[in-house]
């Protein structure tokens, strides 16, 4: 409670973390390069590993959003710890993703195949094989 100039007592604003339910996945801090999910992310740079695991990597929020638009939800999400607020809309869209990590930029950069580290990286399931009979002309 805070007292104002006229003597009225006003309730204090609750801290941002307690202002109601927060939407989006809870980001767990990931600080070790030996984390199994981060190791898998690095291993998926290899085509054979991607084929055997039936997984792929999306580097950047545009690719993650494109996957969501086509019904593909990430199994694991990695977000640059310094730029979490920049991707808040994406995090809210993902809802309650169970495997979401806040990762230091240097670890994310080491796992990325891009010249500049993305704000977001995700491990996605590969779509199933298609045949020519599935294609509409």
């Amino acid at each position: 409670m805070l007292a104002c100039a006229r003597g009225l007592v006003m309730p204090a604003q609750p801290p941002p973390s307690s202002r109601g339910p927060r939407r989006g996945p809870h980001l767990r801090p990931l600080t070790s390069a030996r984390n199994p999910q981060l190791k898998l992310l690095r291993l998926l740079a290899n085509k054979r590993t991607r084929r055997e695991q039936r997984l792929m990597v999306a580097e950047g929020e545009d690719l993650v959003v494109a996957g969501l638009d086509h019904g593909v939800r990430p199994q694991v999400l990695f977000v640059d710890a310094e730029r979490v607020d920049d991707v808040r809309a994406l995090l809210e869209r993902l809802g309650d993703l169970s495997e979401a990590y806040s990762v230091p930029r240097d670890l994310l950069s080491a796992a990325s195949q891009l010249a500049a580290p993305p704000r977001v990286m995700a491990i996605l399931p590969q779509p199933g094989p298609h045949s020519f009979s599935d294609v509409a002309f």
Side-chain angles (χ1 to χ4, degrees):
M1 299 287 235
L2 298 173
C4 68
R6 294 185 180 176
L8 301 173
V9 177
M10 300 177 65
Q13 279 283 50
S17 61
S18 64
R19 286 188 184 156
R22 202 172 128 194
R23 295 176 54 194
H26 171 71
L27 295 175
R28 293 185 280 178
L30 189 153
T31 57
S32 173
R34 291 180 291 207
N35 178 283
Q37 297 296 349
L38 198 57
K39 282 184 178 180
L40 175 61
L41 184 67
R42 288 191 304 267
L43 287 172
L44 289 172
N46 182 311
K47 182 178 179 178
R48 182 176 182 182
T49 305
R50 290 192 304 270
R51 187 175 58 242
E52 289 172 353
Q53 298 288 322
R54 304 278 315 141
L55 296 171
M56 61 184 182
V57 175
E59 295 193 47
E61 55 265 44
D62 292 343
L63 293 178
V64 176
V65 168
L68 287 171
D69 290 345
H70 288 87
V72 180
R73 285 187 52 80
Q75 291 182 353
V76 185
L77 183 74
F78 303 92
V79 179
D80 184 337
E82 297 173 14
R83 301 188 282 179
V84 172
D85 290 333
D86 297 342
V87 294
R88 185 63 56 199
L90 173 62
L91 295 175
E92 289 176 2
R93 185 171 174 191
L94 286 170
D96 58 345
L97 187 66
S98 61
E99 296 259 1
Y101 299 96
S102 171
V103 184
R105 185 175 294 175
D106 60 332
L107 291 179
L108 204 59
S109 178
S112 176
Q113 300 297 306
L114 302 177
R119 292 187 281 198
V120 175
M121 292 179 73
I123 297 176
L124 306 159
Q126 282 186 4
H130 297 285
S131 68
F132 282 111
S133 62
D134 297 337
V135 179
F137 292 100

